[in-house]
Structure formats: structure tokens, C-alpha cells
Amino acid sequence: NMYIAEPYSLFADFYDSAMGKDIFSKIRDIFERLLQRHRIGFSSAADLGCGTGLFARYLNSRWNAPVFGVDLSPAMLRIASENCRDSGVKLMRQDIRQLCLPHGVDLITANFDTVNHLVGDEDLPQLFRGVYKNLNSGGHFIFDIITPCNPPQGTRVYRGRFRSSFKQAIQQIRWNPKRQILFSQITFSSPRTTLYKIERHCERAYWPRQVASWLMDAGFIIRDVLDAKTLRKATFCPTRIIVVTQKPVNAR
């Protein structure tokens, strides 16, 4: 028996144990190096695609800043509400293409494939324009993005103590170079049942030059484009890049 579930409706229960905590640790270390390198300060922030809320909680607790955590998945936000309990994080369910924060912030982040989940031709330019509008003058937007150069593929198996009745998740990732799309299928199973549940995810890879052009069209200053693996200036074509941008001082 097989059942098709909404993206992240089941994986939310697996996420932190399977990958979320390890990914958060790496992103946190990179983020602190970027803040130091570019002398970035902030007193308010928003984390887009906040998932289970680990990075949003960190921004609040480590930097004593109020934080908006924005995600579209009700299941991920449910876990985030537990992780961010008694913190200065306000969770919001929004499509980030129509980003509308209660007020402007000094910093907006989007980590680990968040922007790659936007697959429409106009999605990324629309996101960048929205982020620009929701940033305070002089504020920063820091995000990572997968490029079409050697994107991740293959099969990953996640096992362990998960919140759900399923005890194993198998993720299969397939790359379509013509469409520059990553197709991911996650199959959830348990030895106690013959029922299988499946989530299907879709991500789009973007060329760095495309991204830079759309950012500048939105009004951003690009401060850095780094190879996510080495944190050196991106040359040739890394698999994943990290982009540090800034809204000009005195810009509205």
C-alpha cells in the first residue's frame, strides 16, 4: 500500500534527527565567520524557510534579537513551535514569494536550499524584490543556493528515533540537467506495517550569474559570493554558493 503525502508533512518528524541538527551546526559556524568577515551587526532578523526553527532560535538566543521564522509547511512550523518555545521567535506561515513581515528587519537569512524550492521562472526575482522591501536601510540578506554544477544525487537512508511511527526514510535524488531540476522522493516505512508513504520534493538549480543579475535588479549590493565548501571566493562553478548582499544605506 502506498500513500502520497504533502512535502515535509512527514519528513518534519524526521528532520532534526536525520539532518537538521548537523546542518544547523555547520550553518551556524559559517554564519559567524561571515558576520566577522563583513562586520555585520543586526538588532532584528527573519529566517526564511525556517523549518524546525533551530537557526531562528539561535539568532534570537545568541544575538539577543527578535526574530521572525517564516515557513510554508504547517508540519515544520509545528516542530518549530516546540523548538522555539519561550524564545523571542515569532513564527509565521507564509509563501516567501509574497513575504510580508510585520515590520522591517536588519537581517534576512535563507539557509540550506530554501531558495532552490522556488522553481518558477519569476519566483527568484520576486523573492529578491520582496526581501529588499522587508529589509531596513543598510540591512543584509544572506543565503545559499545550489548551482547546476555537480548537484547532489543518489540515495540516502535515515534511521533512528523519530517522532512518528515510521522508523526509516529513504531519499532518492535525481538530477534533470535539461530542466535544471532536482527531483527528490522520500519513502517512509516501518517493519510493523506494509503501508508506505511517499513525499516528493522539487528544487531548481540556478546559475550564479542569473542570481547576481536578479539581485542587482532588485537593488542589492553584492558583497560576497563564496564557495560554500571552502568559504573562499567562488570561482569556476561550485556546487553550492553562499551570497552576502546588502540593501544600500539610506535606501527606502
Side-chain angles (χ1 to χ4, degrees):
N1 298 324
M2 185 177 68
Y3 170 77
I4 305 299
E6 289 293 317
Y8 292 105
S9 60
L10 299 174
F11 199 45
D13 288 328
F14 283 65
Y15 193 81
D16 283 347
S17 296
M19 63 170 66
K21 291 179 180 178
D22 289 339
I23 291 169
F24 161 69
S25 179
K26 294 173 183 177
I27 291 171
R28 176 197 60 202
D29 293 345
I30 290 171
F31 178 73
E32 294 196 3
R33 290 173 65 180
L34 293 177
L35 291 191
Q36 185 175 19
R37 179 182 297 182
H38 293 286
R39 298 179 180 178
I40 296 172
F42 61 96
S43 57
S44 57
D47 185 37
L48 308 186
C50 68
T52 60
L54 298 183
F55 193 75
R57 182 182 66 186
Y58 153 78
L59 289 176
N60 172 242
S61 61
R62 172 69 176 84
W63 303 99
N64 194 31
V67 177
F68 297 111
V70 183
D71 206 285
L72 190 59
S73 166
M76 291 293 250
L77 288 171
R78 173 175 51 82
I79 306 298
S81 68
E82 298 176 19
N83 287 335
C84 297
R85 187 182 291 120
D86 300 324
S87 73
V89 176
K90 180 179 180 181
L91 298 172
M92 305 176 66
R93 183 171 185 256
Q94 282 188 15
D95 183 332
I96 60 174
R97 292 170 296 183
Q98 282 87 43
L99 183 64
C100 184
L101 301 177
H103 56 75
V105 293
D106 298 330
L107 171 73
I108 294 179
T109 57
N111 298 309
F112 197 65
D113 296 19
T114 290
V115 299
N116 291 104
H117 283 86
L118 305 180
V119 299
D121 289 343
E122 295 301 317
D123 285 353
L124 222 53
Q126 184 177 351
L127 170 70
F128 293 159
R129 291 192 296 268
V131 169
Y132 187 92
K133 290 178 182 177
N134 283 272
L135 272 176
N136 292 332
S137 172
H140 286 81
F141 176 37
I142 301 175
F143 65 97
D144 65 58
I145 191 166
I146 291 174
T147 76
C149 299
N150 194 30
Q153 297 183 69
T155 301
R156 301 170 185 173
V157 179
Y158 306 110
R159 297 187 183 93
R161 290 187 174 184
F162 304 127
R163 299 163 180 251
S164 70
S165 60
F166 292 101
K167 301 303 176 186
Q168 177 175 276
I170 300 176
Q171 182 180 33
Q172 297 170 298
I173 304 173
R174 181 170 56 87
W175 167 240
N176 183 320
K178 185 175 181 180
R179 297 176 59 191
Q180 295 180 11
I181 295 288
L182 282 164
F183 295 100
S184 172
Q185 178 167 294
I186 307 175
T187 304
F188 301 86
S189 63
S190 173
R192 298 180 181 178
T193 177
T194 58
L195 175 65
Y196 291 86
K197 291 191 177 183
I198 289 174
E199 282 185 12
R200 290 173 177 154
H201 303 243
C202 186
E203 298 183 27
R204 180 174 176 178
Y206 290 94
W207 293 108
R209 286 187 179 180
Q210 280 181 309
V211 175
S213 176
W214 291 329
L215 285 166
M216 289 187 289
D217 287 345
F220 282 104
I221 299 166
I222 300 174
R223 297 192 62 183
D224 225 344
V225 180
L226 304 169
D227 183 331
K229 194 170 184 180
T230 65
L231 280 193
R232 297 179 184 142
K233 291 280 187 183
T235 56
F236 302 107
C237 190
T239 296
R240 183 189 299 272
I241 58 174
I242 297 173
V243 186
V244 181
T245 70
Q246 185 176 19
K247 182 173 181 174
V249 176
N250 298 325
R252 294 183 179 181

